[in-house]
Amino acid sequence: MKSTIPDTGVPITPPAGNGGDRQEASLHGEILLRLRDYVVEGNIPDGARVPERQLCEMLGISRTPLREALKVLAAEGLIELLPNRGARVRQLSQRDLEELFDVMAGLESLAGRLACEAITDEEIIAIEQLHYEMYGHYLHRDMHGYFQTNQRIHESIVAAARNETLKAAYANFAGRIRRIRYSANFARKRQRWAEAMREHEAILDALRRRAGSELSDILFQHLRNKRTAAIEHLTEPQEDAPASP
């Protein structure tokens, strides 16, 4: 799996200028982004301890900024902080996944319906551009780029719903299933990656036509299909897991 974290200890260098506070905020954001990608892309097994010393070496940072980033990931639901014992990757049961994906399906379904009532032409054009960018990543078998762009599409639809309560709830649950949502693309029993790409074609088509009821149904089924693939991947023997694209 492609990761944004370098293989060797290349330190993250703050950008020059713009003041100390802005540099610190930028540095924190980059650390958080790289660490989140590293966890989401399955580089640490479910339930395993987070190797703080190794990550500090890989990122070229001290323990303090690493632990600040870990607090954010804990709030997002990706990891669990252990009192005086570091952190570990949160492990979800099959029942956890079923419940979380069903809630996400409901939220995205509602977002699609509301978005079709409020979305602007400019927002649709921006989502179209993201869609074609994602398709390029798909053709090049770049799962990292594909997943990042995919998430931006879903977040853009939620933002277009113009409902802050929905947006906050979505962000809360999205963090908790981000890791398994990524790995579900590797489920072997169905060609989930190709299937998801076809579903996104239908999502874009319904959004262009502002067909709220249709988009709502497509998004709900999209998340249901993702749930099925996630559970299949969860129950696949470890040695049968597919290689990174």
Side-chain angles (χ1 to χ4, degrees), residues 4-5 76 92 98 130 140 155 165 184 186 203:
T4 56
I5 293 185
E76 292 178 356
L92 298 174
E98 290 172 350
L130 288 172
H140 289 92
E155 289 164 2
T165 301
F186 298 109
I203 289 169

mmCIF file with all atom_site columns, all heavy atoms in Angstrom, residues 4-5 76 92 98 130 140 155 165 184 186 203:
data_model
loop_
_atom_site.group_PDB
_atom_site.id
_atom_site.type_symbol
_atom_site.label_atom_id
_atom_site.label_alt_id
_atom_site.label_comp_id
_atom_site.label_asym_id
_atom_site.label_entity_id
_atom_site.label_seq_id
_atom_site.pdbx_PDB_ins_code
_atom_site.Cartn_x
_atom_site.Cartn_y
_atom_site.Cartn_z
_atom_site.occupancy
_atom_site.B_iso_or_equiv
_atom_site.pdbx_formal_charge
_atom_site.auth_seq_id
_atom_site.auth_comp_id
_atom_site.auth_asym_id
_atom_site.auth_atom_id
_atom_site.pdbx_PDB_model_num
ATOM 1  N N   . THR A 1 4   ? 2.329   8.036  2.446   1.00 0.00 ? 4   THR A N   1
ATOM 2  C CA  . THR A 1 4   ? 2.992   9.322  2.331   1.00 0.00 ? 4   THR A CA  1
ATOM 3  C C   . THR A 1 4   ? 4.171   9.434  3.279   1.00 0.00 ? 4   THR A C   1
ATOM 4  O O   . THR A 1 4   ? 4.901   10.412 3.241   1.00 0.00 ? 4   THR A O   1
ATOM 5  C CB  . THR A 1 4   ? 2.006   10.457 2.643   1.00 0.00 ? 4   THR A CB  1
ATOM 6  O OG1 . THR A 1 4   ? 1.444   10.253 3.938   1.00 0.00 ? 4   THR A OG1 1
ATOM 7  C CG2 . THR A 1 4   ? 0.891   10.502 1.606   1.00 0.00 ? 4   THR A CG2 1
ATOM 8  N N   . ILE A 1 5   ? 4.373   8.454  4.155   1.00 0.00 ? 5   ILE A N   1
ATOM 9  C CA  . ILE A 1 5   ? 5.498   8.490  5.079   1.00 0.00 ? 5   ILE A CA  1
ATOM 10 C C   . ILE A 1 5   ? 6.730   7.916  4.394   1.00 0.00 ? 5   ILE A C   1
ATOM 11 O O   . ILE A 1 5   ? 6.674   6.838  3.809   1.00 0.00 ? 5   ILE A O   1
ATOM 12 C CB  . ILE A 1 5   ? 5.189   7.691  6.363   1.00 0.00 ? 5   ILE A CB  1
ATOM 13 C CG1 . ILE A 1 5   ? 4.087   8.403  7.146   1.00 0.00 ? 5   ILE A CG1 1
ATOM 14 C CG2 . ILE A 1 5   ? 6.415   7.515  7.223   1.00 0.00 ? 5   ILE A CG2 1
ATOM 15 C CD1 . ILE A 1 5   ? 3.772   7.806  8.469   1.00 0.00 ? 5   ILE A CD1 1
ATOM 16 N N   . GLU A 1 76  ? -10.745 11.011 16.328  1.00 0.00 ? 76  GLU A N   1
ATOM 17 C CA  . GLU A 1 76  ? -11.382 10.584 15.079  1.00 0.00 ? 76  GLU A CA  1
ATOM 18 C C   . GLU A 1 76  ? -11.826 9.126  15.132  1.00 0.00 ? 76  GLU A C   1
ATOM 19 O O   . GLU A 1 76  ? -12.556 8.668  14.250  1.00 0.00 ? 76  GLU A O   1
ATOM 20 C CB  . GLU A 1 76  ? -10.410 10.771 13.907  1.00 0.00 ? 76  GLU A CB  1
ATOM 21 C CG  . GLU A 1 76  ? -10.107 12.232 13.597  1.00 0.00 ? 76  GLU A CG  1
ATOM 22 C CD  . GLU A 1 76  ? -9.112  12.387 12.467  1.00 0.00 ? 76  GLU A CD  1
ATOM 23 O OE1 . GLU A 1 76  ? -8.595  11.355 11.972  1.00 0.00 ? 76  GLU A OE1 1
ATOM 24 O OE2 . GLU A 1 76  ? -8.848  13.527 12.060  1.00 0.00 ? 76  GLU A OE2 1
ATOM 25 N N   . LEU A 1 92  ? -12.213 -3.037 15.121  1.00 0.00 ? 92  LEU A N   1
ATOM 26 C CA  . LEU A 1 92  ? -13.662 -3.078 15.040  1.00 0.00 ? 92  LEU A CA  1
ATOM 27 C C   . LEU A 1 92  ? -14.146 -4.499 14.780  1.00 0.00 ? 92  LEU A C   1
ATOM 28 O O   . LEU A 1 92  ? -13.567 -5.208 13.958  1.00 0.00 ? 92  LEU A O   1
ATOM 29 C CB  . LEU A 1 92  ? -14.148 -2.161 13.914  1.00 0.00 ? 92  LEU A CB  1
ATOM 30 C CG  . LEU A 1 92  ? -13.814 -0.668 14.056  1.00 0.00 ? 92  LEU A CG  1
ATOM 31 C CD1 . LEU A 1 92  ? -14.238 0.077  12.801  1.00 0.00 ? 92  LEU A CD1 1
ATOM 32 C CD2 . LEU A 1 92  ? -14.479 -0.071 15.288  1.00 0.00 ? 92  LEU A CD2 1
ATOM 33 N N   . GLU A 1 98  ? -20.999 -3.322 10.820  1.00 0.00 ? 98  GLU A N   1
ATOM 34 C CA  . GLU A 1 98  ? -22.377 -3.314 10.315  1.00 0.00 ? 98  GLU A CA  1
ATOM 35 C C   . GLU A 1 98  ? -23.114 -2.072 10.788  1.00 0.00 ? 98  GLU A C   1
ATOM 36 O O   . GLU A 1 98  ? -23.789 -1.387 10.003  1.00 0.00 ? 98  GLU A O   1
ATOM 37 C CB  . GLU A 1 98  ? -23.106 -4.583 10.777  1.00 0.00 ? 98  GLU A CB  1
ATOM 38 C CG  . GLU A 1 98  ? -22.600 -5.852 10.101  1.00 0.00 ? 98  GLU A CG  1
ATOM 39 C CD  . GLU A 1 98  ? -23.191 -7.102 10.723  1.00 0.00 ? 98  GLU A CD  1
ATOM 40 O OE1 . GLU A 1 98  ? -23.836 -6.973 11.794  1.00 0.00 ? 98  GLU A OE1 1
ATOM 41 O OE2 . GLU A 1 98  ? -23.015 -8.189 10.159  1.00 0.00 ? 98  GLU A OE2 1
ATOM 42 N N   . LEU A 1 130 ? -13.033 16.310 -9.572  1.00 0.00 ? 130 LEU A N   1
ATOM 43 C CA  . LEU A 1 130 ? -12.536 15.319 -8.622  1.00 0.00 ? 130 LEU A CA  1
ATOM 44 C C   . LEU A 1 130 ? -12.799 13.899 -9.128  1.00 0.00 ? 130 LEU A C   1
ATOM 45 O O   . LEU A 1 130 ? -11.951 13.007 -8.975  1.00 0.00 ? 130 LEU A O   1
ATOM 46 C CB  . LEU A 1 130 ? -13.200 15.512 -7.257  1.00 0.00 ? 130 LEU A CB  1
ATOM 47 C CG  . LEU A 1 130 ? -12.773 16.729 -6.445  1.00 0.00 ? 130 LEU A CG  1
ATOM 48 C CD1 . LEU A 1 130 ? -13.663 16.871 -5.211  1.00 0.00 ? 130 LEU A CD1 1
ATOM 49 C CD2 . LEU A 1 130 ? -11.305 16.626 -6.042  1.00 0.00 ? 130 LEU A CD2 1
ATOM 50 N N   . HIS A 1 140 ? -4.370  4.104  -13.034 1.00 0.00 ? 140 HIS A N   1
ATOM 51 C CA  . HIS A 1 140 ? -2.956  3.899  -12.709 1.00 0.00 ? 140 HIS A CA  1
ATOM 52 C C   . HIS A 1 140 ? -2.768  2.999  -11.487 1.00 0.00 ? 140 HIS A C   1
ATOM 53 O O   . HIS A 1 140 ? -1.641  2.821  -11.020 1.00 0.00 ? 140 HIS A O   1
ATOM 54 C CB  . HIS A 1 140 ? -2.266  5.247  -12.477 1.00 0.00 ? 140 HIS A CB  1
ATOM 55 C CG  . HIS A 1 140 ? -2.082  6.054  -13.725 1.00 0.00 ? 140 HIS A CG  1
ATOM 56 N ND1 . HIS A 1 140 ? -3.002  6.982  -14.158 1.00 0.00 ? 140 HIS A ND1 1
ATOM 57 C CD2 . HIS A 1 140 ? -1.088  6.040  -14.650 1.00 0.00 ? 140 HIS A CD2 1
ATOM 58 C CE1 . HIS A 1 140 ? -2.580  7.530  -15.285 1.00 0.00 ? 140 HIS A CE1 1
ATOM 59 N NE2 . HIS A 1 140 ? -1.425  6.974  -15.612 1.00 0.00 ? 140 HIS A NE2 1
ATOM 60 N N   . GLU A 1 155 ? -17.113 14.093 0.850   1.00 0.00 ? 155 GLU A N   1
ATOM 61 C CA  . GLU A 1 155 ? -17.164 15.257 1.734   1.00 0.00 ? 155 GLU A CA  1
ATOM 62 C C   . GLU A 1 155 ? -17.774 16.464 1.018   1.00 0.00 ? 155 GLU A C   1
ATOM 63 O O   . GLU A 1 155 ? -18.483 17.265 1.640   1.00 0.00 ? 155 GLU A O   1
ATOM 64 C CB  . GLU A 1 155 ? -15.752 15.585 2.228   1.00 0.00 ? 155 GLU A CB  1
ATOM 65 C CG  . GLU A 1 155 ? -15.212 14.569 3.217   1.00 0.00 ? 155 GLU A CG  1
ATOM 66 C CD  . GLU A 1 155 ? -13.708 14.668 3.418   1.00 0.00 ? 155 GLU A CD  1
ATOM 67 O OE1 . GLU A 1 155 ? -13.086 15.580 2.797   1.00 0.00 ? 155 GLU A OE1 1
ATOM 68 O OE2 . GLU A 1 155 ? -13.151 13.866 4.180   1.00 0.00 ? 155 GLU A OE2 1
ATOM 69 N N   . THR A 1 165 ? -25.256 20.296 11.167  1.00 0.00 ? 165 THR A N   1
ATOM 70 C CA  . THR A 1 165 ? -25.442 19.157 12.081  1.00 0.00 ? 165 THR A CA  1
ATOM 71 C C   . THR A 1 165 ? -25.106 17.852 11.371  1.00 0.00 ? 165 THR A C   1
ATOM 72 O O   . THR A 1 165 ? -24.412 16.983 11.920  1.00 0.00 ? 165 THR A O   1
ATOM 73 C CB  . THR A 1 165 ? -26.888 19.116 12.604  1.00 0.00 ? 165 THR A CB  1
ATOM 74 O OG1 . THR A 1 165 ? -27.178 20.340 13.280  1.00 0.00 ? 165 THR A OG1 1
ATOM 75 C CG2 . THR A 1 165 ? -27.075 17.950 13.571  1.00 0.00 ? 165 THR A CG2 1
ATOM 76 N N   . ALA A 1 184 ? -11.428 -2.031 2.320   1.00 0.00 ? 184 ALA A N   1
ATOM 77 C CA  . ALA A 1 184 ? -12.520 -2.752 1.658   1.00 0.00 ? 184 ALA A CA  1
ATOM 78 C C   . ALA A 1 184 ? -12.319 -2.830 0.154   1.00 0.00 ? 184 ALA A C   1
ATOM 79 O O   . ALA A 1 184 ? -12.837 -3.735 -0.506  1.00 0.00 ? 184 ALA A O   1
ATOM 80 C CB  . ALA A 1 184 ? -13.862 -2.080 1.964   1.00 0.00 ? 184 ALA A CB  1
ATOM 81 N N   . PHE A 1 186 ? -9.873  -3.844 -1.293  1.00 0.00 ? 186 PHE A N   1
ATOM 82 C CA  . PHE A 1 186 ? -9.048  -5.009 -1.600  1.00 0.00 ? 186 PHE A CA  1
ATOM 83 C C   . PHE A 1 186 ? -9.784  -6.334 -1.425  1.00 0.00 ? 186 PHE A C   1
ATOM 84 O O   . PHE A 1 186 ? -9.189  -7.399 -1.555  1.00 0.00 ? 186 PHE A O   1
ATOM 85 C CB  . PHE A 1 186 ? -7.795  -5.016 -0.707  1.00 0.00 ? 186 PHE A CB  1
ATOM 86 C CG  . PHE A 1 186 ? -6.908  -3.834 -0.921  1.00 0.00 ? 186 PHE A CG  1
ATOM 87 C CD1 . PHE A 1 186 ? -6.812  -2.843 0.038   1.00 0.00 ? 186 PHE A CD1 1
ATOM 88 C CD2 . PHE A 1 186 ? -6.177  -3.706 -2.084  1.00 0.00 ? 186 PHE A CD2 1
ATOM 89 C CE1 . PHE A 1 186 ? -5.992  -1.740 -0.155  1.00 0.00 ? 186 PHE A CE1 1
ATOM 90 C CE2 . PHE A 1 186 ? -5.357  -2.605 -2.289  1.00 0.00 ? 186 PHE A CE2 1
ATOM 91 C CZ  . PHE A 1 186 ? -5.266  -1.632 -1.321  1.00 0.00 ? 186 PHE A CZ  1
ATOM 92 N N   . ILE A 1 203 ? -23.370 8.046  -9.258  1.00 0.00 ? 203 ILE A N   1
ATOM 93 C CA  . ILE A 1 203 ? -23.495 9.152  -8.307  1.00 0.00 ? 203 ILE A CA  1
ATOM 94 C C   . ILE A 1 203 ? -23.365 10.484 -9.032  1.00 0.00 ? 203 ILE A C   1
ATOM 95 O O   . ILE A 1 203 ? -24.168 11.403 -8.849  1.00 0.00 ? 203 ILE A O   1
ATOM 96 C CB  . ILE A 1 203 ? -22.425 9.028  -7.196  1.00 0.00 ? 203 ILE A CB  1
ATOM 97 C CG1 . ILE A 1 203 ? -22.761 7.858  -6.260  1.00 0.00 ? 203 ILE A CG1 1
ATOM 98 C CG2 . ILE A 1 203 ? -22.312 10.329 -6.397  1.00 0.00 ? 203 ILE A CG2 1
ATOM 99 C CD1 . ILE A 1 203 ? -21.645 7.489  -5.300  1.00 0.00 ? 203 ILE A CD1 1
#
